[in-house]
Amino acid sequence: MPAALAALVAAAGPAAAGTTGSSGAGDPYFPLAGNGGYHVKHYDLTLRYKSSSSELQGRAVINARATQPLTRFDLDLKGLTVTGLTVDGRTAGFSRSGQELVVTPRHALREGEDFKVTVTYQGTPRPVTDPDGSADGWIPTDDGAFLAGEPQGAMTWFPANNHPKDKSSYDITITVPEGRTAVSNGVLLGRSTAHGRTTFRWRQTEPMAAYLATATIGRFKTEQYTTRDGIQVYNAVDAREAGAAAPVLKKLPSVLEWESKVFGPYPFRAAGSIVDHAHDIGYALETQSRPLYDRAPSLSTLVHENAHQWFGDSVSLTSWKDIWLNEGFATYAEWLYSEQHGGDSAQKTFDELYARPAGNSLWAFPPGNPGSGAHIFDSPVYDRGAMTLHELRKAVGDPVFLRILRAWAAEHRHGHGTTGQFVRLAEHKSGKDLHTLFNTWLYQAGKPNRS
Ligand code: ARG
Ligand code: ZN
């Protein structure tokens, strides 16, 4: 289906679709991302990776609940070959169309009915190219693969309801050649080696959006420990990055402690870092409970990706358009961390950015309206997004500002939040009319006037 038509179908919503689950979750920037008509409660993924042939064999057992009557529904899967598909143990019909895996169960599903989809698949996974030209998904590296799924790439390695609107728990079991390590989200339940292959069993209990799943493979040195707060840390580091990474990773417990003090309790039982050696990728990702880095991170990047655990991972987007709720907040966490650890004050960082001339790319568009998926990771989203929070802080004062951040993390913990909800929360906690402030900083084109 052409994208424009898909957008119309998605916008029409499930009601108009009768008993057919829509092909997208209704996101204006990524119309085919996610699907309508059901909610995934749990993914149980069993993967086997052969490095000699770069081949992946997978089985996904998906426990879902129908949110409408369904004679047909979609999953998102890009590339790979589906070798079998059952619904509740019975062979179901399926077809492929672009990223849509269209499933026709033998019997229609009732609204509210729980059902189980099992998909077996194989092939050589390839990344997707995002509208901004970056690669995401299963990205091959010289010793395995870097698995980063924001915004679209989860569907390159498992069939998913691929939109942050839908969050699920995960079991990810992955077998790799002995000597390689496969690092995923959550807690490592066990590892075992037999016949030259090692199997890693990971469990992510708290709800997770598909884009935050990873199962990154490489030759890693690993370490495990528990923090004073009882968080289970697992770090995996490519030997080529180990020297540069060590002093930064050592700070993870103190960074999490500081962030917990500022934002409220850390939302997950597990934490850690995956430091790969894949500089071409050019970005890090806040994979849930264990951020993924393409190189040894700087301290500010470590602060940023872990701040996302509160803002983006625990509190999820309902629409990619709201991306500043992730990136503006994680960037502002960097500013606050610097200010409270002997570095530049947030005001100084704000002033330096504000000094940029009107023609600078920082002012290319307002952060609340990036315009398309091609701009969701551009500087206005990160920097002007953080500047918006700084303006809020100045308007309401430090104590109320921190109360707002903590309430946001607490009230939407393991859930979702929208820009509108954040604005209402800020107004409620401060007792102030903040319409002009947010309107100016989030939605007005061009460089805003200073308040
Ligand atoms: N959320 C990541 C970060 O700010 C950036 C992900 C960029 N993804 C991409 N496909 N370019 O840490
Ligand atoms: Zn970020």
Side-chain angles (χ1 to χ4, degrees):
M1 188 182 328
L5 180 56
L8 283 175
V9 172
T19 61
T20 302
S22 62
S23 60
D27 195 291
Y29 291 1
F30 298 93
L32 291 174
N35 303 284
Y38 65 93
H39 154 59
V40 176
K41 297 196 285 187
H42 184 76
Y43 292 90
D44 191 345
L45 308 179
T46 307
L47 310 170
R48 176 184 284 248
Y49 172 69
K50 284 197 200 134
S51 54
S52 50
S53 57
S54 306
E55 243 205 309
L56 179 70
Q57 282 175 0
R59 189 186 69 208
V61 180
I62 299 168
N63 280 291
R65 172 167 295 176
T67 55
Q68 63 169 79
L70 285 175
T71 52
R72 204 181 90 185
F73 62 89
D74 287 14
L75 287 158
D76 298 311
L77 183 68
K78 179 117 173 154
L80 304 168
T81 302
V82 173
T83 53
L85 199 154
T86 64
V87 176
D88 292 327
R90 311 191 60 183
T91 304
F94 68 89
S95 63
R96 309 283 304 270
S97 167
Q99 71 183 61
E100 301 304 312
L101 167 58
V102 183
V103 180
T104 308
R106 189 99 47 111
H107 298 292
L109 300 160
R110 284 172 282 112
E111 178 174 347
E113 185 175 347
D114 287 332
F115 62 102
K116 184 173 87 175
V117 188
T118 302
V119 184
T120 51
Y121 56 99
Q122 63 184 48
T124 304
R126 301 195 194 290
V128 281
T129 304
D130 292 321
D132 65 1
S134 62
D136 103 270
W138 181 291
I139 306 173
T141 59
D142 61 3
D143 60 359
F146 182 99
L147 272 66
E150 191 185 27
Q152 307 191 80
M155 62 184 171
T156 66
W157 58 282
F158 66 97
N161 191 17
N162 194 18
H163 192 278
K165 266 186 182 173
D166 201 33
K167 306 217 288 186
S168 323
S169 56
Y170 285 72
D171 276 297
I172 300 180
T173 300
I174 173 158
T175 301
V176 292
E178 190 175 354
R180 314 286 168 112
T181 300
V183 195
S184 184
N185 314 86
V187 172
L188 180 62
L189 297 181
R191 55 173 286 175
S192 57
T193 299
H195 312 296
R197 288 188 276 267
T198 306
T199 298
F200 295 82
R201 289 191 299 127
W202 295 94
R203 173 166 292 167
Q204 171 61 50
T205 28
E206 300 93 355
M208 175 166 80
Y211 80 91
L212 297 169
T214 191
T216 291
I217 302 162
R219 296 185 193 276
F220 296 126
K221 296 188 186 179
T222 65
E223 66 167 336
Q224 258 178 295
Y225 60 88
T226 303
T227 69
R228 281 191 291 196
D229 293 336
I231 302 164
Q232 298 180 53
V233 175
Y234 183 101
N235 289 329
V237 181
D238 187 300
R240 294 165 287 186
E241 302 291 336
V248 179
L249 296 200
K250 228 176 51 205
K251 295 215 158 118
L252 179 65
S254 72
V255 166
L256 292 177
E257 258 176 54
W258 176 82
E259 291 183 333
S260 304
K261 214 175 66 211
V262 180
F263 307 139
Y266 179 71
F268 307 115
R269 70 194 63 190
S273 321
I274 309 168
V275 181
D276 209 337
H277 177 74
H279 297 206
D280 287 352
I281 289 166
Y283 62 81
L285 181 64
E286 61 268 26
T287 38
Q288 187 155 308
S289 78
R290 188 162 295 113
L292 173 60
Y293 307 94
D294 69 339
R295 66 194 71 191
S298 65
L299 180 56
S300 60
T301 300
L302 186 94
V303 168
H304 178 110
E305 302 310 336
N306 283 290
H308 273 307
Q309 303 305 311
W310 284 260
F311 306 115
D313 291 13
S314 170
V315 183
S316 291
L317 302 178
T318 59
S319 170
W320 286 109
K321 184 179 181 223
D322 279 342
I323 183 74
W324 84 279
L325 291 172
N326 292 8
E327 301 306 346
F329 283 56
T331 302
Y332 200 69
E334 295 178 55
W335 298 10
L336 276 179
Y337 184 90
S338 161
E339 174 172 305
Q340 295 187 15
H341 293 82
D344 286 350
S345 67
Q347 186 63 50
K348 180 162 187 249
T349 307
F350 179 99
D351 290 340
E352 281 170 8
L353 288 166
Y354 192 79
R356 294 193 188 171
N360 188 272
S361 57
L362 172 60
W363 315 116
F365 61 85
N369 190 11
S372 83
H375 298 295
I376 58 176
F377 301 121
D378 288 1
S379 136
V381 170
Y382 287 72
D383 295 324
R384 185 167 159 180
M387 293 173 90
T388 304
L389 290 177
H390 191 68
E391 286 290 298
L392 172 64
R393 176 183 173 190
K394 285 191 296 181
V396 302
D398 283 11
V400 173
F401 176 68
L402 292 172
R403 232 175 282 148
I404 293 167
L405 290 186
R406 274 195 283 271
W408 182 244
E411 289 174 16
H412 300 269
R413 184 179 165 93
H414 298 318
H416 296 87
T418 65
T419 299
Q421 288 171 330
F422 182 72
V423 170
R424 282 194 289 284
L425 175 73
E427 292 192 323
H428 177 71
K429 293 281 169 199
S430 66
K432 288 193 153 75
D433 179 351
L434 299 167
H435 177 263
T436 307
L437 185 156
F438 283 113
N439 194 46
T440 303
W441 281 88
L442 288 181
Y443 296 114
Q444 218 172 79
K447 181 172 173 175
N449 291 321
R450 259 191 129 128
S451 51

